[in-house]
Each structure stands twice: as structure tokens, then as C-alpha cells.
Amino acid sequence: MNIVQVALDVPLPRLFDYLAADSDESDIGRRVNVPFGKGVKTGVIVGVAAASEQPMDKLKPVTVILRDMPALPPDWLALCEFCARYYQTPLGEVASFALPPMLRKGKLPRMPKTSAPSTGDTGRSAGATDLTIEDTALQPPLLRAQHAAVETIVAAGNFQTFLLHGVTGSGKTEVYLRAIAEVLAQGGQALMLVPEIALTPQLEGRVAARFPGAHIVCANSGMADAARARGFLDAHEGRADIVLGTRLAVFMPLPRLRLIVVDEEHDASFKQQEGLRYSARDVAIWRAHQRDIPIVLGSATPSLETFHHGGSGRYRLLELPERAVAEAMPDVRVIDTRRQKLQEGLSSELLTALTLRLERGEQSLVFLNRRGYAPVLACPPCGWISRCRRCAANLVLHLADKRLRCHHCGFETGIPRACPDCGNVDLLPFGRGTQRLETMLAERFPEARVLRIDRDSASTPKKWQALLETIHAGGADIRVGTQMRAKGHDFPRLTLVGAVGADAALFAADFRAPERLFAQLMQVGGRSGRAELPGEVLIQTEYPDHALYRALAAHDYTRFAASQLDERRIAGFPPFSYQAMLRAEGREMAQALDFLAAARSAAEPLAAGVTLYDPVPMRMQRLMTLERGQLLVESLNRPTLQAFLAQWMERLYALKMPAGLRWHLDVDPLEF
Ligand SMILES: [Zn+2]
Ligand SMILES: [Zn+2]
């Protein structure tokens, strides 16, 4: 009698054996329905065996092996196994996550007739792509550096990690497209990862226009279940030529995969912050290595980890030094705000520059990375401030819809008429968010059309699209916004960017905050002056001589990165060390810290070559009424850390858990 080993989506680091009389090796990689507890679960068969470690009479038979789609290939299973090992997550949870929700539930989407594979054929085979896939009429001419980059990537053939470093407008996307064209011409598939769902529609449009004969599949969590499952099958069965998606697309099975592109590789959204805490960029590199194919990481401001590898020769650095679109880089200047009285947070220089743009009929953008009207509502006489009842955080005042809102847990409530503590009716907003800036600018420049762009005003793709259309139609003179998610969109009349309140990130407790600030400012600055009009970037600061701003003014990412890497080397931070974070949450902080202390004791005998820090409350120590603590472990050597984590996890699973306590491990954490 045959036994199948099944990876099931349960939080236990083991496989489950079931009886399956009719199974054989060809069932490895198939989905299977099995009885589990009182119900039926769908899992993936990862092995078949003649014997089990469990007593045979304890084993149950499978409900049914799902043979309605081709088995998932060995390299896909190996990818899941790698993630399970590296991120210390049960294989069943990884495999389940890697499948689209519909397939995960044991269902299949209805496939359109046109794309159904003919019997016995699994899609397009290599060399069969005589059809012209590319529309070469749409190719812009290449600059020398672009040309060299394309040649180098195409020539690589085998595994090689490229870092394509080029400022906004230097034509990175064109390099990706040329390399992809080459891959398609050889009958291969290409995978392109982008950080945001919002970026996919317009990129898809550009890719589709360029490759009208190619089958392009999108993959992101915003898609309807059936569409996502169809895309997965198109990729798996070889019909898709190009897969374009957010981080989860890294798990698409691609039999003819020949190239991976990770655009904006520095973006933090490539790292998932819940469940399987994987970095899609890092997993993509592993996958390229597994398949022995080139991978291109592109960015204007690479993550310091990536840039370090570019400098050490582990990755191959490809520089695009010039802008392909405009002649000049924007003029970046700092405004010293220490000795001037600001008007609602704005300096006279910035106000003058805004006036000038209005007179010339040009557009401006004021960047402030804080949503809402004011970060807190306060009662000055008694000291009351608006606090979230569930989190260690303030409730943010949103005047646009008259609410107090927690940006961490989503709790919201109306604005009190009077102070809940003393009855005073003169409650005051403190500090400044985008809504307040919007109001102030509208009052100051009554003739201007002021448009706010943040997660509140662009809360859905539809609203975001509408905002973009307004901007493109010239319907905004001044934009106020947090993150400027508009890659690939040219705003030809945007000639001024003002940055307000950026200093906070300079001295943040998180050692990655300066890196993020530099990337943000470089990105917003890069949006200005892309056509015939020169751009100007004004940064208000109390630290005009700070190295970060100096490097920014000189457009010198390399200098900034070098100085940051020096600091990291001295401090022993990544990329000069490898980290993992154990986090615990419970009803009481003591509970969480006690668990972490026990975890630390369990780690001590295993921790040769690993530094164990002390358990501490997290910076956001209460979230959704749960108290949270963390324990950092670190090593100078990645294999040492990995070996330690594997042993440690076994002991953690065996630890006694107080009721209500939850924990997880985050390997290569980005958030502290
Ligand atoms: Zn909250
Ligand atoms: Zn009061």
C-alpha cells in the first residue's frame, strides 16, 4: 500500500502521512484533499513512500488526489522547501501561501476556451515562438550605458545577479524590456516583480504595447480569485510569456523561466510583514540561482545590502549615469529653518517658489510623510491627548471626515466636543499632516487648485486613477502628498518639489530610517523637471549640513551609501551581520517578556557564534490591545545563524505556552 506525504496548511513543522492506494511518483506536486480533524483540508503531496513512521492502522486514506491540473514541478516544491527552511515556517504553510487562494482550496478556475492547452501539449515549447512577439517600432533609441547594460545581461545566460543602478529617468525600464525581448525571442519566460499593485496596470499597458504577440499575466493580491488562479495556470502550463506582479508573483511556476527582473528592489514592500515573512527580492535571487538564469535588480537608490554586494563584486554593478529623458537633474537645495518663523510650517523661500510656479502656470508638489490633519488632538489646560485605547499610539485627527483615527489598528471615533477629562471645549490640534497643509495652502493661494494625494484620498485603485487623470489633465497646481507613487508617469509641468518635516527620520531609532528617507526624497525629486523645464527641490531642515542632505544635493547616492555602510560596519548592522527577530504578543507585557526570556534560555546552549540580545518591549509596545516584546539574535555568518535557528525553533515549539500568547520568528527583519 502506498503512502503520500502531505504538506498541510497548519502551524506545525511536519508533514502528514495518508494512505493512497493508487498513488505513485507522478503524484508528487499534486494537490490532495485529506481528512483533517473534523473536516477536509487541501494540501500538496511532497513525497510518496512505502512505509510510514506512524503505525499503519493510525493512517487515514486520502479523500481524493486532484489530478485535474499538471503536478507542480520539482523546482517549485524545492522553492517552497527553501522558504520553509530559510524563514523557519512549516512547509505546508509556505506551499499553501504560494498557491492562489482558489487552488489552495482545492478548486480550479474555469479556463477560457482560447487558452486551453490542446491534449498532451503543455503550452508553447522553446523555439516555437516564430510569431513576432515584439513591436520594435515602439523602441526608443538607447543611450550608450543602456546599450551596454542590455548586452551584458543578455550575454550572461547563466546565473548572475545584476544591480542596475540609475536615477529616475535614466531608462531602467527600457533595459528590462530589451532584455525581456531577447528572452522571448529564445522562447523563454520572464518574471518581473514590482513593489506596488498600483504600479502594475500602467506597466502592464506599456509591456503589452511593446509585446503585442506575447501572453502577459499579472499577479497581485488585489485580483479576483479566478483571474489569479487562471494566471497561475497559464504560467505553470507554459502559456504565459511574461509574468508581471507584486511580491507573491515570485512563487509562480514557470517552466521556461529565463530572466527575473526586480524593479525598485530597495522597496520595503518586497518583504512580507505577516505570515510567511519572506523577502521576494531575496527569494527571487535564490530562484535565479536555482534555475541558473540572470536576475536584474533595478533601483535609483539600491538597498544598502544590495549596494554592498554590488561593490564587493558579488553582484555585477551596471550603472546608468545619465537621464534618458531630460538633460538636467533637478536643482536640490536645503532651507535652514532654524532662524526663521515658519508660516504654518512653510518657509518664506518655499512660499515664494510656490508663488512663482503659479505665475508661470507650472505644477508644484509639497511632500510631507504624515497623513491626517494633525498627529494628535490635545487639551492644553489639563494635558489630555487623544490616545488609542488599543495601541501605544496617538489617535490622528482627520478633519476631512471629522474622525480621530489610529493609524496602527484602524480604531476610529468621532471628535469629542469637549475634553473627556476636564470638559474644556477648546481642544487643539498639534502638529501637521497632509490635510492641514492642504487647507493652509488653499487659504494662502485661493486661486490655486490644491490636490491632496495620500492613502486617504487614494484609498482605492479607482480613486488613485481618478487623481492621476486630474493631474494629467492639468487640474492640479499644487499637490500635497505623502509617498509619491507615480513611477512611470511623467508630469511635464511639475517643476517644484518641497519637502517638509523630513528631519524626523534623521535620528529615528530604526537604523534603516535614513536609507528610506534618502530613497523617498530622491524619488520625489526625480519626478520634477523631466521635460524641457528644469526642476527644483527645496528641503526644509534644521540640519542643513547633514551628510544625507549634502549627498542628496549632489545627487550622489554612492557617497551617501558609502557613509551609511561605514556606520553600519562600525555598528555591526546588516549587511555586516545577519539578524532574526523573535516576537511575542500577549495580554500582559510580562507574559510576552517571560516567554522571550524562556526562549533566550533555550537558545543559550545552541548559540555558538550567535549573539543573543535581551528581550525588550517593542517600540510600538501595544497593538490592538496586545502587549508586544521582541528578542533579537544576530550572527556575523549566515549559515551559522541558519543552523542555530533550525535547532532553536525545535525547542521553541516544545516550550510551554501561556494561554493567549502568540509568537513568530522574522528572519532578516526590516522593522524594529
Ligand atoms: Zn490603535
Ligand atoms: Zn482637558
Side-chain angles (χ1 to χ4, degrees):
M1 183 160 268
N2 276 325
I3 288 152
V4 290
Q5 296 159 332
V6 181
L8 283 175
D9 184 12
V10 289
L12 293 170
R14 50 164 289 205
L15 300 173
F16 297 86
D17 289 354
Y18 287 90
L19 302 171
D22 63 336
S23 68
D24 60 39
E25 296 270 321
S26 73
D27 288 322
I28 295 175
R30 285 195 197 284
R31 295 167 308 142
V32 60
N33 288 346
V34 295
F36 190 86
K38 288 194 179 109
V40 172
K41 263 186 175 302
T42 303
V44 176
I45 298 175
V46 297
V48 290
S52 171
E53 285 173 17
Q54 309 288 319
M56 290 299 271
D57 57 348
K58 286 270 165 66
L59 296 185
K60 291 177 189 164
V62 301
T63 310
V64 61
I65 296 177
L66 301 168
R67 296 195 174 93
D68 48 2
M69 65 179 243
L72 293 154
D75 74 296
W76 187 87
L77 290 175
L79 177 70
C80 292
E81 275 159 12
F82 163 74
C83 288
R85 215 163 45 235
Y86 188 82
Y87 294 106
Q88 305 294 335
T89 303
L91 178 59
E93 290 190 339
V94 176
S96 165
F97 173 80
L99 288 170
M102 202 173 206
L103 301 185
R104 189 184 302 160
K105 289 176 204 141
K107 296 184 208 147
L108 268 193
R110 196 184 303 232
M111 297 299 281
K113 284 220 170 60
T114 48
S115 74
S118 51
T119 351
D121 178 21
T122 51
R124 202 175 270 153
S125 60
T129 46
D130 300 331
L131 66 159
T132 311
I133 273 181
E134 194 182 10
D135 186 349
T136 46
L138 288 168
Q139 287 186 1
L142 289 183
L143 296 172
R144 187 176 304 171
Q146 284 176 304
H147 184 73
V150 175
E151 295 278 290
T152 312
I153 295 163
V154 167
N158 302 88
F159 173 64
Q160 167 84 276
T161 308
F162 294 100
L163 165 56
L164 184 63
H165 177 219
V167 294
T168 309
S170 61
K172 291 189 290 294
T173 307
E174 188 53 34
V175 172
Y176 308 147
L177 294 179
R178 298 280 180 122
I180 289 172
E182 201 61 38
V183 161
L184 298 189
Q186 293 164 14
Q189 293 173 306
L191 170 64
M192 184 165 176
L193 304 180
V194 295
E196 292 268 322
I197 295 176
L199 297 179
T200 47
Q202 121 255 342
L203 182 64
E204 187 191 3
R206 184 166 170 190
V207 174
R210 186 66 169 272
F211 302 108
H215 183 19
I216 300 164
V217 158
C218 282
N220 64 62
S221 59
M223 290 166 65
D225 279 2
R228 221 180 114 189
R230 272 198 296 275
F232 188 92
L233 291 176
D234 279 345
H236 173 38
E237 296 176 29
R239 288 183 295 275
D241 297 305
I242 302 172
V243 171
L244 207 62
T246 51
R247 59 177 180 244
L248 55 83
V250 79
F251 292 106
M252 294 283 257
L254 292 154
R256 295 178 284 116
L257 183 62
R258 295 268 177 84
L259 175 70
I260 304 178
V261 172
V262 183
D263 191 25
E264 307 288 322
E265 68 82 29
H266 64 278
D267 200 290
S269 73
F270 282 123
K271 171 92 169 150
Q272 178 148 295
Q273 302 292 355
E274 61 196 10
L276 175 61
R277 291 172 166 77
Y278 70 107
S279 156
R281 177 198 61 206
D282 296 350
V283 172
I285 294 170
W286 187 87
R287 204 170 173 197
H289 181 257
Q290 173 200 34
R291 300 289 295 263
D292 198 21
I293 57 169
I295 176 169
V296 183
L297 311 178
S299 178
T301 51
S303 68
L304 289 177
E305 283 83 352
T306 299
F307 192 71
H308 176 62
H309 292 320
S312 72
R314 195 163 143 199
Y315 298 171
R316 181 137 178 211
L317 180 62
L318 303 170
E319 294 269 7
L320 298 181
E322 319 156 62
R323 277 181 141 190
V325 188
E327 287 83 48
M329 298 289 283
D331 183 19
V332 179
R333 285 192 294 128
V334 291
I335 299 169
D336 185 350
T337 56
R338 283 171 300 185
R339 280 185 198 81
Q340 71 165 279
K341 189 158 173 6
L342 300 177
Q343 302 173 47
E344 277 284 337
L346 299 184
S347 60
S348 56
E349 288 94 331
L350 185 50
L351 288 168
T352 307
L354 285 165
T355 309
L356 187 67
R357 294 318 185 285
L358 285 171
E359 285 168 5
R360 297 204 302 228
E362 296 168 12
Q363 297 180 342
S364 307
L365 165 70
V366 183
F367 172 75
L368 169 61
N369 201 6
R370 194 189 284 146
R371 290 184 294 131
Y373 185 85
V376 68
L377 186 67
C379 171
C382 85
W384 174 87
I385 55 169
S386 54
R387 300 279 293 169
C388 179
R389 261 176 274 154
R390 303 195 286 187
C391 308
N394 293 334
L395 291 175
V396 177
L397 176 63
H398 284 248
L399 270 193
D401 50 359
K402 302 198 170 51
R403 305 292 282 171
L404 288 172
R405 197 167 280 145
C406 176
H407 285 187
H408 298 276
C409 73
F411 172 81
E412 57 174 82
T413 174
I415 299 170
R417 281 174 214 282
C419 172
D421 284 0
C422 73
N424 165 33
V425 290
D426 290 321
L427 298 177
L428 290 179
F430 267 82
R432 202 166 285 104
T434 46
Q435 290 178 10
R436 189 168 194 170
L437 207 51
E438 177 193 18
T439 309
M440 177 267 167
L441 287 165
E443 280 167 11
R444 172 95 194 190
F445 301 105
E447 73 282 18
R449 291 160 303 173
V450 181
L451 192 69
R452 174 167 52 86
I453 302 182
D454 54 26
R455 251 196 294 152
D456 299 309
S457 70
S459 54
T460 63
K462 213 170 173 181
K463 284 186 184 172
W464 167 231
Q465 208 53 41
L467 285 170
L468 274 181
E469 276 161 25
T470 307
I471 297 165
H472 276 285
D477 301 307
I478 303 175
R479 275 182 278 154
V480 177
T482 52
Q483 286 260 47
M484 189 55 210
R485 294 290 188 190
K487 193 185 147 53
H489 285 274
D490 288 325
F491 302 113
R493 300 201 68 77
L494 176 66
T495 59
L496 172 69
V497 172
V500 180
D503 284 347
L506 293 179
F507 308 104
D510 183 346
F511 70 88
R512 285 193 175 86
E515 180 183 347
R516 284 192 207 114
L517 176 64
F518 190 91
Q520 271 174 350
L521 292 178
M522 189 101 170
Q523 198 175 1
V524 285
R527 303 256 77 91
S528 77
R530 293 193 61 180
E532 67 285 354
L533 295 165
E536 187 179 28
V537 178
L538 300 177
I539 300 166
Q540 294 192 172
T541 174
E542 295 187 6
Y543 306 91
D545 295 322
H546 196 283
L548 187 151
Y549 295 134
R550 284 176 168 252
L552 199 68
H555 306 286
D556 197 344
Y557 166 81
T558 304
R559 187 167 87 191
F560 167 73
S563 76
Q564 283 286 305
L565 282 171
D566 279 346
E567 285 179 24
R568 297 242 189 127
R569 185 180 289 115
I570 292 162
F573 286 141
F576 303 99
S577 65
Y578 300 91
Q579 300 179 324
M581 186 75 88
L582 181 67
R583 301 193 188 96
E585 53 185 42
R587 275 173 241 139
E588 313 274 331
M589 182 57 79
Q591 217 182 31
L593 294 181
D594 283 351
F595 170 80
L596 292 173
R600 194 183 187 286
S601 304
E604 269 162 11
L606 315 168
V610 176
T611 306
L612 305 172
Y613 288 86
D614 287 324
V616 289
M618 284 176 67
R619 203 149 28 115
M620 252 300 287
Q621 62 167 269
R622 193 169 67 252
L623 182 69
M624 309 204 40
T625 72
L626 288 174
E627 301 285 339
R628 313 188 304 162
Q630 66 185 30
L631 166 61
L632 179 67
V633 299
E634 192 178 84
S635 177
L636 296 175
N637 181 285
R638 201 198 292 263
T640 303
L641 181 67
Q642 279 290 311
F644 159 76
L645 292 176
Q647 290 184 298
W648 192 30
M649 286 300 276
E650 278 180 30
R651 301 202 177 191
L652 288 182
Y653 277 111
L655 279 182
K656 263 219 192 81
M657 303 269 295
L661 187 116
R662 287 190 307 187
W663 60 269
H664 70 258
L665 187 75
D666 187 354
V667 180
D668 303 329
L670 280 189
E671 291 190 351
F672 282 78

